[in-house]
Amino acid sequence: MARTLRFNIFRYNPRNPASVAHMREYSLGETESMTLFIALNRIREEQDPSLQFDFCCRAGICGACAMVVNGKPGLACHTKTKDMPGEISLMPLPFFKLVGDLSVDTGSWFRGMYQKVESWVHTSKTFDPAAEEERMDNELAEKIYELDRCIECGCCVAACGTALMREDFLGAVALNRVARFLIDPRDERTEKEYFDVVGSDDGVFGCMGLLACEDVCPKDIPLQDQLGMLRRKMALAAVRGMLPKFLRKD
Amino acid sequence: MSLSTIATHRPVSPGLTAAYLDWLQMLTGAALILFMWCHMILVSSVIVGPGVMNAIAGFFEFTYMAQLGGPAIFAVFLVHFVLASRKIPFRTAEQKVMWANAKRLEHKDTWLWMVQAATAMVILVMGAIHMWVVLTDLPISAAKSAARIQTGWWLLFYLCLLPMVELHVGIGLYRIAVKWGFVGRKDRSGFKVKENSITYIFIGIGVLTLIRFMFLAVK
């Protein structure tokens, strides 16, 4: 027999001075293959057209529908109601600026972060649109792609105790971006230049190793391994000059 | 907003301080973990016999490891606290955020960090008392330790300190391993199980040691 799901959804419109933050309850009959994305759309269409939430692709690619589901950040479109208890609480992602209800502005933060870590290939070569694309070893291309799969949903930052306490902390998503360029041979940045970007307490040395980022990432990106690799690389870069010659190489 | 968060054409160099402090935090932590394992060997040797413990303590005395190493460990202990406390939230607003996040997330490693931070505070006070009492009454001997355990509130004191230290050491070792990437994604859960087992075993050995001291004849 189909369940009736009870949703407790955070409601608040920061642009309306009369709005007060509260949790509102909605009931909805569960249907086959229902996701939270489907449930939210039905609630909006059938019960409350004022409910704000973001979505775009419905397929775990755009990252727009990230929210806190029963305490854990995740994607609404990826979360099947059959895997959930009968009572579901939905909150907006913390850390990011609230637009209203379940909708947050991740874009502004991500743009600032990308500028800060200079999230692009730094090369002295002039791009020739007519030239054949430079060849890359397939294994390496797959390694880069593995880190490039990040959809910028913001779940890792919203689950990070360090980022929530210290808003200047870059977070796993930024450190993963840097790790991605670090293994890309087209990026000509030196170790010192990478260190200048992440070698601080706002960067990799601020990470307390809580690993919630690793555990909530909806795309299962190996964040723990990137954070560890980056910490070792940057820590070694700081003391490289003190090491005996045979230990100085990577 | 600090200068380093402002997008600049060229990033402002953060300097090497954070890296050095991170190294020191890890190395002092690793040194204290090693010390605690050696400490466990010394005190638990009383289970085999007070003579064995006295022999090991005598060796430390003879080589001046107790007289010089003891205060050195005390210094490392204080340095480690200062370095690690840079990450601990002391402001009420930060503590509230951390609590709210841990409760909302129900994430084991976040809770382990909370335990690590809370045990650190207890160890700072109780560990300092323990070191002061032992280092101002050298040489170490089984009889002296037993006499202390059998006096007043000291048994309760050590029954509190023991799990605090073992939890902090166990979680600390796990944290170093995952934070520095010595243990990767695929080995993490297995490593955690092993680390938990070691922590429980060490608490068990510690309790047995305290029981042995409790019933050791004091002249």
Side-chain angles (χ1 to χ4, degrees), chain A residues 80-107:
Chain A
K80 294 191 176 79
T81 55
K82 72 175 172 64
D83 301 329
M84 306 292 293
E87 194 163 333
I88 299 166
S89 124
L90 299 177
M91 304 275 287
L93 287 186
F95 186 80
F96 299 102
K97 188 184 168 194
L98 183 71
V99 176
D101 301 336
L102 300 174
S103 170
V104 292
D105 172 17
T106 51

Side-chain angles (χ1 to χ4, degrees), chain A residues 62-67 74-75 93 96 104 106 110 150-156 158 173 216-219:
Chain A
C62 71
C65 66
M67 58 186 67
L75 299 180
L93 287 186
F96 299 102
V104 292
T106 51
F110 271 93
C150 175
I151 55 170
E152 305 174 11
C153 60
C155 286
C156 59
V173 63
V216 303
C217 177
K219 302 306 283 186

Side-chain angles (χ1 to χ4, degrees), chain B:
Chain B
M1 188 175 263
S2 66
L3 181 64
S4 61
T5 63
I6 300 166
T8 50
H9 180 61
R10 289 243 168 268
V12 179
S13 177
L16 298 172
T17 316
Y20 291 155
L21 295 182
D22 204 52
W23 266 116
L24 263 181
Q25 183 184 332
M26 186 270 275
L27 291 173
T28 51
L32 288 169
I33 290 169
L34 276 176
F35 167 74
M36 284 316 301
W37 288 346
C38 295
H39 183 279
M40 180 61 86
I41 292 170
L42 167 68
V43 291
S44 65
S45 64
V46 77
I47 300 171
V48 182
V52 181
M53 181 180 165
N54 287 338
I56 298 173
F59 170 75
F60 287 143
E61 198 76 22
F62 180 72
T63 53
Y64 284 88
M65 278 164 78
Q67 297 92 323
L68 301 175
I73 286 293
F74 199 8
V76 172
F77 168 83
L78 292 177
V79 168
H80 180 70
F81 174 78
V82 171
L83 292 170
S85 66
R86 295 173 309 134
K87 307 286 169 69
I88 295 176
F90 285 103
R91 287 172 52 211
T92 314
E94 290 176 342
Q95 287 171 0
K96 276 186 180 167
V97 166
M98 205 63 195
W99 269 112
N101 183 52
K103 282 195 273 188
R104 180 174 58 232
L105 207 56
E106 292 177 359
H107 177 247
K108 198 172 175 188
D109 280 27
T110 300
W111 276 109
L112 283 179
W113 185 86
M114 303 284 276
V115 172
Q116 205 180 358
T119 52
M121 297 301 159
V122 179
I123 294 167
L124 176 71
V125 177
M126 295 182 92
I129 293 171
H130 166 72
M131 279 189 268
W132 183 265
V133 168
V134 171
L135 293 175
T136 53
D137 191 23
L138 289 175
I140 296 165
S141 76
K144 271 198 225 172
S145 300
R148 192 164 63 248
I149 301 294
Q150 292 170 27
T151 312
W153 294 90
W154 282 105
L155 177 65
L156 192 61
F157 177 91
Y158 284 113
L159 280 173
C160 289
L161 183 57
L162 170 70
M164 295 292 140
V165 171
E166 294 306 342
L167 281 171
H168 193 84
V169 165
I171 301 168
L173 179 63
Y174 168 74
R175 188 85 56 210
I176 289 175
V178 294
K179 226 164 75 167
W180 284 76
F182 302 133
V183 168
R185 158 182 269 199
K186 65 178 171 38
D187 299 320
R188 179 176 157 213
S189 70
F191 183 74
K192 200 190 275 186
V193 171
K194 282 181 203 146
E195 187 44 60
N196 282 344
S197 309
I198 290 172
T199 300
Y200 294 136
I201 290 168
F202 279 8
I203 291 175
I205 294 173
V207 170
L208 282 177
T209 305
L210 285 173
I211 293 170
R212 183 75 181 98
F213 277 133
M214 204 55 206
F215 294 102
L216 195 72
V218 182
K219 284 170 198 164

Side-chain angles (χ1 to χ4, degrees), chain A residues 191 231-241 243 247, chain B residues 23 180:
Chain A
E191 188 175 65
R231 183 175 229 118
R232 280 200 315 273
K233 233 178 169 47
M234 293 301 110
L236 278 173
V239 297
R240 200 174 296 282
L243 295 174
L247 282 174
Chain B
W23 266 116
W180 284 76

Side-chain angles (χ1 to χ4, degrees), chain A residues 4-102:
Chain A
T4 298
L5 301 170
R6 280 206 325 191
F7 288 88
N8 287 303
I9 301 180
F10 177 83
R11 302 300 313 270
Y12 178 56
N13 182 356
R15 282 165 300 172
N16 177 4
S19 176
V20 178
H22 65 286
M23 298 299 286
R24 181 161 170 202
E25 193 178 308
Y26 301 89
S27 293
L28 192 69
E30 190 175 24
T31 53
E32 206 180 328
S33 304
M34 184 184 246
T35 63
L36 289 180
F37 161 77
I38 293 170
L40 282 168
N41 272 291
R42 273 190 56 198
I43 290 172
R44 182 152 69 181
E45 281 166 21
E46 298 166 13
Q47 301 180 33
D48 190 345
S50 70
L51 181 63
Q52 296 182 69
F53 61 92
D54 296 318
F55 67 91
C56 187
C57 74
R58 304 170 294 157
I61 296 166
C62 71
C65 66
M67 58 186 67
V68 176
V69 183
N70 283 355
K72 289 182 175 55
L75 299 180
C77 69
H78 251 201
T79 311
K80 294 191 176 79
T81 55
K82 72 175 172 64
D83 301 329
M84 306 292 293
E87 194 163 333
I88 299 166
S89 124
L90 299 177
M91 304 275 287
L93 287 186
F95 186 80
F96 299 102
K97 188 184 168 194
L98 183 71
V99 176
D101 301 336
L102 300 174

